[in-house]
Amino acid sequence: MKKQLSTWLAAVSLGASAVLLLTGGAVAPATPAAPVAGAPAAATHPDPATRNKPGPLTERKCASLDGHTIRARDIGLPTRGAVVETATWQDGYCAVTGWIRAVSAPQDMQFRVNLPARWNGRALQYGGGGFDGTLVTATGPYTAQPSGTPTPLQQGWVTLGSDGGHQGGAGFDGSFQTDPELLRNFGQWSVKKAHDAAWHVIRAAYGQTPKWSYFIGGSQGGHEGLDAAARYPKDYDGVIANYPAYNVTMMHIGAVNFRDALLIDGGAGWMNPAEVRTLTDAVYATCDPLDGAEDGIVSDVEGCDAVFHAETVRCPGGADTGDDCLSDSQLAAVEKMSTDYDLGIDIEGNSIFAKSALLQGALYQGFAGFGSGPYAQGLQFSVLDATSRYGVSGGDPAHDTYTFDPADHVERIQELGEIMDVTDVSLQRFAAYGGKVILTHGTIDDFITPHNTVQYYERLQDRYGKRLDRFLRFYMVPGWGHGQGVFAAQYDGLSAIVDWVENRDAPEHLVARDGNVGADRTRPMCEYPAWPQYKGRGSLDTASSFRCVEG
C-alpha cells in the first residue's frame, strides 16, 4: 500500500496536476493515449434513425462553410450573431472555428465544431475547466474516457466546444468577472450560445440537425453539464457531469474556511507538504484495510470516520516539533477544514461549504496543496482570491483577500450565486423531456470536495424521492481525485448514457479502470452510498473480486 501511494505521490507535479485541475480533463490532445491492457472498450453505436440520412461530408462542402454567418435571432441568448472564421479539412473531418459576437463585452466568444465525413447523427458537446478562457477543440477523448479507445469524433460524432465565453490568462484569471456579459457567459450562457451556433453550422453542412444531443464535462465542465440539463432542457438528451463545480460561488467564497484554518494562531495552522503527508499516511494506514483489501485505496469512508482520529499524529505536548507530527494549532486547522462550514449567506438555497475529505484519503499535495506558507496559500486560496477580488470587489486595487469578509458583501455574493451557480435550478423539465444524467465524483478530490456533490445529490433526493433514479444516477469512486488520484478512474460513460437515453437501458454494473501509468486494475462503480468491498478472494486488480455494499 505504501509503495503504491508513494509512487502516485511522486508523480504529482505542478504541470500535470494543473492541466487536470484547470481543464477538467476536457482540453485533450487530438490523438488518444496509448491503450491500457484490458481497458474497457468504448462501444461504437449504430447510426440513429434520421428522417433523411445525410451522405458523406466532402472537402468541398467543408470549404464552403468558411465565412458562414449566423444571425443573432438564431442564437437563443443575447448576441450580435456569429461568423465562421475558418473551415479546414482535416483527416476525415471538417474543423470549423468561429466567433459569437458580444453585445457589449470587450471580448467575443470562440466556438469550435468538428464535422465528420461520415456522421452518425449524434452530437457531443465538451465542457471546459477552471475559469475556462481557452478554446475546447473537442477533438480528443472526453473526460474520463478509457485510454486507447476511439474518440467520439473518430466514432462519427459531431463534437463541439467553446472558450466558455471569454479568453483568459494563465491560472485562475478571474478578471472577466468585472464585465456583466462575460460573467454571465461563464456562469450559464456559453453552453447555450455554443450549442445554437453549432446547430446552425451542422444544418448548413448536413442539411439537418442532430437527432441526439449529449454533453460531457468535468469540474467546470461538469457544472456546464448541469447547466445544460437544468437551464436548457430541450437542447440535450443526456449529460455526464464528473466532479462538477456546480456551485462556483459557494466553492470560491466558502474557501475562506481554508484560509482561516491555515491562519489559526497567526499562521501556526499551516502545514507543509511533509506534515500533510504525515497525516494522510496515518489515514491510509488505518483506513485502507477497512474494505478488506490493502490496495492504497480508502473505500469505506464512513468506516474511516469512525476509527481514525487525527490526534494520533499529535506532537508531544502539542508543539510544532517537526514534520513527523502535527501541533495543536495544525490539528485545529485539520478539524476546521474537515467540518462543514456555515458561511452564513444563503446562496441559491444553501449556506454550507461542504467539509474537506482530508481525513478520508484526500492528499493535498502539489498544485492542490496548501501553498508555501500561511501568507502564500495554495489552490483553495487562489479561487477565493479570484472571485472575491473580481466578482465581488470589482477589481478594486485595495482588495485584500487575507482580510476579506464575506459578511460585508452579502448582496453581491448572492447576485453572483444567481449567475454562476446551478444549485437550486430544477431538473424537472429535463426529466420530463426524457433527459438522463450520470453524476460522478471521487472520494479523494482535494479541489472540489466529494461532499459538495453529495449535498447536491441529497437535495435532489429530497425533491424527487424514488423518482430520482429514473433520470439520474450518482457514482462515488474511491481513490479518484480531481481528474487524477491513486485510482484515476476511466469508464465508458458515453456508451452508458447513449444506451440509457436511446434504448432506455439504465446503467448497470459500470466498471472503472485505473488510468495511472503502469496501473492495470479495475473496480466496480457503485451507486452512492454504496462502495466496493473486497469479497476475500480473487485478484485485487479485478472488479469482479469486489461487491458494492452499503454501511
Side-chain angles (χ1 to χ4, degrees):
M1 182 274 291
K2 287 184 178 179
K3 182 177 180 181
Q4 290 172 312
L5 186 58
S6 297
T7 299
W8 185 84
L9 281 169
V12 174
S13 65
L14 176 62
S17 298
V19 168
L20 288 161
L21 289 163
L22 296 177
T23 68
V27 184
T31 304
V36 175
T44 301
H45 297 278
D47 293 351
T50 56
R51 293 183 300 275
N52 297 295
K53 185 175 179 180
L57 187 69
T58 65
E59 184 174 357
R60 181 178 179 181
K61 183 63 177 178
C62 174
S64 74
L65 297 173
D66 197 336
H68 179 78
T69 59
I70 303 168
R71 297 170 298 183
R73 70 185 188 186
D74 292 323
I75 299 173
L77 291 169
T79 71
R80 291 188 296 111
V83 62
V84 170
E85 182 179 44
T86 61
T88 58
W89 189 255
Q90 306 289 338
D91 185 16
Y93 71 95
C94 180
V96 176
T97 303
W99 292 92
I100 300 170
R101 301 306 186 194
V103 174
S104 60
Q107 295 180 353
D108 292 333
M109 171 181 161
Q110 194 173 26
F111 71 97
R112 172 72 174 262
V113 192
N114 303 299
L115 308 166
R118 296 187 179 277
W119 181 36
N120 67 10
R122 301 180 179 91
L124 175 63
Q125 188 167 348
Y126 286 43
F131 272 144
D132 289 334
T134 301
L135 180 64
V136 175
T137 61
T139 56
Y142 57 83
T143 306
Q145 179 176 340
S147 299
T149 57
T151 67
L153 183 57
Q154 290 169 338
Q155 295 180 49
W157 290 69
V158 163
T159 62
L160 60 137
S162 79
D163 61 9
H166 68 278
Q167 298 84 57
F172 288 95
D173 177 8
S175 58
F176 70 91
Q177 295 182 44
T178 61
D179 182 89
E181 187 176 355
L182 299 183
L183 174 62
R184 199 166 288 273
N185 278 347
F186 171 78
Q188 53 187 261
W189 280 359
S190 65
V191 171
K192 171 70 171 170
K193 289 181 179 181
H195 170 278
D196 289 2
W199 256 234
H200 203 277
V201 171
I202 293 166
R203 182 182 291 279
Y206 298 111
Q208 62 187 65
T209 55
K211 180 174 177 60
W212 303 104
S213 173
Y214 297 86
F215 194 109
I216 297 180
S219 193
Q220 167 62 9
H223 169 208
E224 291 163 353
L226 294 177
D227 267 333
R231 300 186 192 276
Y232 314 112
K234 290 186 177 181
D235 291 338
Y236 301 91
D237 300 295
V239 166
I240 298 179
N242 299 297
Y243 41 94
Y246 69 90
N247 55 345
V248 177
T249 309
M250 172 58 75
M251 282 174 44
H252 292 185
I253 302 302
V256 295
N257 191 47
F258 277 79
R259 179 200 69 184
D260 294 347
L262 300 178
L263 292 176
I264 284 175
D265 294 333
W270 181 79
M271 294 167 283
N272 67 39
E275 290 168 324
V276 175
R277 185 173 297 186
T278 291
L279 174 64
T280 56
D281 281 353
V283 170
Y284 278 83
T286 301
C287 300
D288 180 6
L290 296 179
D291 58 6
E294 293 192 48
D295 54 1
I297 302 173
V298 176
S299 296
D300 183 4
V301 293
E302 288 189 8
C304 187
D305 285 342
V307 299
F308 180 77
H309 305 285
E311 290 75 14
T312 59
V313 296
R314 180 176 183 263
C315 295
D320 187 352
T321 59
D323 293 346
D324 60 350
C325 61
L326 299 186
S327 69
D328 286 344
S329 296
Q330 292 169 326
L331 289 172
V334 169
E335 181 178 6
K336 184 170 175 57
M337 291 184 287
S338 303
T339 303
D340 285 345
Y341 173 70
D342 191 341
L343 184 61
I345 303 173
D346 185 294
I347 303 176
E348 293 296 281
N350 177 49
S351 67
I352 303 300
F353 178 73
K355 65 183 180 181
S356 162
L358 179 59
L359 298 181
Q360 298 171 327
L363 298 169
Y364 289 95
Q365 295 289 333
F367 185 70
F370 299 136
S372 57
Y375 288 96
Q377 293 186 22
L379 178 60
Q380 296 291 338
F381 185 85
S382 295
V383 295
L384 167 64
D385 178 66
T387 295
S388 65
R389 181 178 302 279
Y390 296 107
V392 177
S393 300
D396 182 356
H399 174 84
D400 183 354
T401 306
Y402 281 101
T403 60
F404 168 74
D405 186 352
D408 295 335
H409 306 274
V410 173
E411 185 175 340
R412 177 55 177 167
I413 289 170
Q414 290 177 325
E415 183 181 9
L416 287 174
E418 293 174 0
I419 296 170
M420 297 200 294
D421 297 15
V422 71
T423 308
D424 202 34
V425 183
S426 176
L427 291 171
Q428 182 63 43
R429 290 186 300 156
F430 187 66
Y433 292 134
K436 309 297 182 186
V437 179
I438 292 176
L439 180 66
T440 75
H441 215 118
T443 60
I444 69 166
D445 195 328
D446 42 19
F447 184 18
I448 303 175
T449 170
H451 299 289
N452 193 56
T453 299
V454 169
Q455 278 187 349
Y456 180 75
Y457 181 70
E458 289 178 345
R459 290 173 69 91
L460 294 178
Q461 285 184 311
D462 290 343
R463 178 173 294 177
Y464 299 105
K466 293 182 179 179
R467 295 176 295 147
L468 181 59
D469 70 356
R470 298 177 188 174
F471 67 91
L472 184 144
R473 301 291 172 91
F474 174 34
Y475 300 89
M476 184 70 78
V477 182
W480 197 17
H482 202 73
Q484 24 66 16
V486 295
F487 186 91
Q490 297 178 344
Y491 67 103
D492 188 7
L494 189 56
S495 291
I497 196 71
V498 166
D499 286 342
W500 197 6
V501 167
E502 300 178 24
N503 304 320
R504 302 192 178 189
D505 185 5
E508 298 288 347
H509 312 299
L510 294 183
V511 172
R513 172 167 295 282
D514 186 353
N516 282 310
V517 176
D520 186 17
R521 57 180 179 174
T522 57
R523 291 289 182 274
M525 291 178 66
C526 303
E527 289 187 49
Y528 181 84
W531 50 273
Q533 181 186 62
Y534 181 53
K535 295 177 180 178
R537 62 185 182 280
S539 171
L540 294 182
D541 294 331
T542 306
S544 60
S545 301
F546 294 78
R547 57 173 168 262
C548 295
V549 300
E550 295 185 27

